[in-house]
């Protein structure tokens, strides 16, 4: 934008016309952006070095526009004398201020490139850190899954295997051993129920054995009574035969 502005100023000098370009440094394209940027959060968040360079832009930019204003204010504009003075202002004021402005802007561009490289390096370092953390998290998660699976396998499979062994012992008639219960989960509840079943079977067999002994004792008593009754019947029969024989003799 300021290159076009400078070209317009050169044409006014060449053709001896009044310069019609923007002379107010606050409302030209650069000035409008510049003063808005100084009030923005981006400026506040910039590094001190960048702030210093941005603030340094104001003076050469302001002086450049003011120097162009001097060209228009020269007396006898369009005469040889005024043209010589205008060219002197252009060469000794406008151009140096423009060069200073361009130099500072180049330095700003270099600073922005350096900060961009630093920012990209920080982003890459952060990304690498996140990737490392993700890998570590995955490894830890896998290890935890393996550990938990092993613990659950031990807490579930072992009690079930013990119940299978006890069931096999029950099938052979051994009701004296129970399952050791240490957990309070569903497997522990199943093991306790299995132990209660063993107790129930043992109590049932105890009652059955007791009933069998009672029946055996009752059977023995009935047998004794039957033998006694049979002996009594034989004795009565013998007495009856004796009485019948006595009656025949009479």
């Amino acid at each position: 934008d300021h290159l076009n502005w400078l070209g317009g100023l050169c044409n006014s000098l060449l053709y001896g016309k009044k310069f019609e370009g923007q002379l107010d440094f606050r409302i030209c394209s650069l000035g409008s952006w510049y003063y808005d940027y100084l009030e923005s959060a981006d400026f506040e968040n910039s590094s001190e070095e960048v702030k210093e360079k941005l603030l340094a832009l104001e003076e050469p930019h302001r002086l450049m526009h003011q120097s162009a204003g001097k060209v228009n204010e020269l007396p006898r504009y369009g005469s040889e004398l005024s043209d010589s003075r205008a060219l002197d202002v252009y060469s000794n004021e406008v151009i140096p201020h423009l060069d200073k402005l361009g130099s500072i802007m180049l330095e700003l561009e270099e600073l922005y490139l350096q900060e961009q490289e630093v920012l990209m390096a920080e982003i890459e370092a952060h990304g690498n850190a996140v990737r490392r953390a993700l890998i570590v998290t995955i490894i830890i998660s896998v290890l935890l899954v393996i550990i938990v699976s092993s613990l659950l396998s031990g807490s579930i499979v072992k009690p079930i295997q013990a119940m299978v062994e006890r069931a096999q012992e029950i099938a052979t008639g051994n009701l004296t051993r129970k399952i050791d219960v240490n957990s309070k989960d569903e497997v522990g509840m199943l093991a306790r129920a299995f132990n209660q079943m063993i107790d129930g079977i043992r109590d049932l067999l105890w009652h059955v054995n007791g009933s069998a002994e009672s029946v055996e004792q009752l059977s023995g008593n009935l047998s004794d009574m039957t033998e006694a009754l049979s002996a009594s019947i034989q004795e009565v029969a013998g007495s009856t035969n004796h009485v019948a024989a006595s009656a025949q003799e009479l």
Side-chain angles (χ1 to χ4, degrees):
D1 177 66
H2 278 72
L3 291 178
N4 294 330
W5 180 88
L6 185 63
L9 182 60
C10 288
N11 289 333
S12 70
L13 292 173
L14 289 174
Y15 297 107
K17 296 180 180 181
K18 186 175 181 179
F19 178 54
E20 299 294 339
Q22 182 58 252
L23 297 178
D24 191 343
F25 64 93
R26 297 181 184 85
I27 60 176
C28 70
S29 297
L30 178 61
S32 178
W33 168 84
Y34 177 74
Y35 290 105
D36 287 340
Y37 188 80
L38 292 183
E39 300 295 330
S40 67
D42 291 335
F43 176 76
E44 293 297 328
N45 295 329
S46 300
S47 65
E48 294 300 324
E49 192 173 4
V50 170
K51 286 182 180 179
E52 182 181 352
K53 294 297 179 183
L54 284 170
L55 293 175
L57 284 174
E58 183 178 19
E59 183 178 5
H61 180 245
R62 174 177 54 82
L63 293 176
M64 183 184 68
H65 281 273
Q66 291 174 352
S67 299
K70 287 182 181 181
V71 174
N72 279 350
E73 293 172 359
L74 287 174
R76 298 172 60 194
Y77 194 81
S79 66
E80 183 177 350
L81 178 60
S82 63
D83 289 345
S84 176
R85 289 180 178 177
L87 186 59
D88 184 63
V89 172
Y90 177 81
S91 299
N92 296 323
E93 295 186 30
V94 176
I95 295 300
H97 294 323
L98 181 62
D99 289 341
K100 180 66 175 177
L101 183 65
S103 176
I104 295 174
M105 294 188 74
L106 287 175
E107 292 176 359
L108 267 173
E109 183 180 2
E110 185 177 354
L111 283 175
Y112 278 124
L113 288 175
Q114 291 176 356
E115 290 189 353
Q116 185 179 10
E117 291 177 358
V118 172
L119 180 61
M120 292 301 295
E122 291 178 353
I123 292 174
E124 184 177 359
H126 181 70
N128 291 333
V130 171
R131 283 192 291 272
R132 288 193 296 269
L134 182 60
I135 292 173
V136 172
T137 302
I138 293 174
I139 293 174
I140 292 175
S141 299
V142 171
L143 292 176
L144 287 176
V145 169
I146 294 174
I147 293 172
V148 171
S149 299
S150 300
L151 293 176
L152 290 177
S153 176
S155 62
I156 295 175
V157 175
K158 289 182 179 179
I160 293 176
Q161 289 178 343
M163 282 186 278
V164 171
E165 293 175 358
R166 298 300 179 272
Q168 292 174 346
E169 292 179 358
I170 292 172
T172 61
N174 185 3
L175 298 175
T176 59
R177 296 185 60 186
K178 293 184 179 181
I179 301 173
D180 296 330
V181 182
N182 296 320
S183 61
K184 296 181 180 180
D185 55 7
E186 288 77 3
V187 177
M189 294 173 61
L190 179 61
R192 281 188 287 272
F194 194 86
N195 288 337
Q196 292 175 357
M197 182 190 71
I198 294 175
D199 290 337
I201 293 174
R202 186 169 55 246
D203 292 341
L204 178 61
L205 291 178
W206 184 81
H207 287 297
V208 168
N209 290 333
S211 298
E213 291 177 358
S214 298
V215 170
E216 184 180 357
Q217 183 178 4
L218 179 59
S219 176
N221 293 334
L222 288 175
S223 178
D224 293 340
M225 291 176 62
T226 301
E227 291 178 358
L229 181 59
S230 177
S232 297
I233 291 173
Q234 291 178 359
E235 183 177 354
V236 169
S239 299
T240 301
N241 292 330
H242 180 70
V243 170
S246 299
Q248 287 178 359
E249 291 178 358
L250 294 174

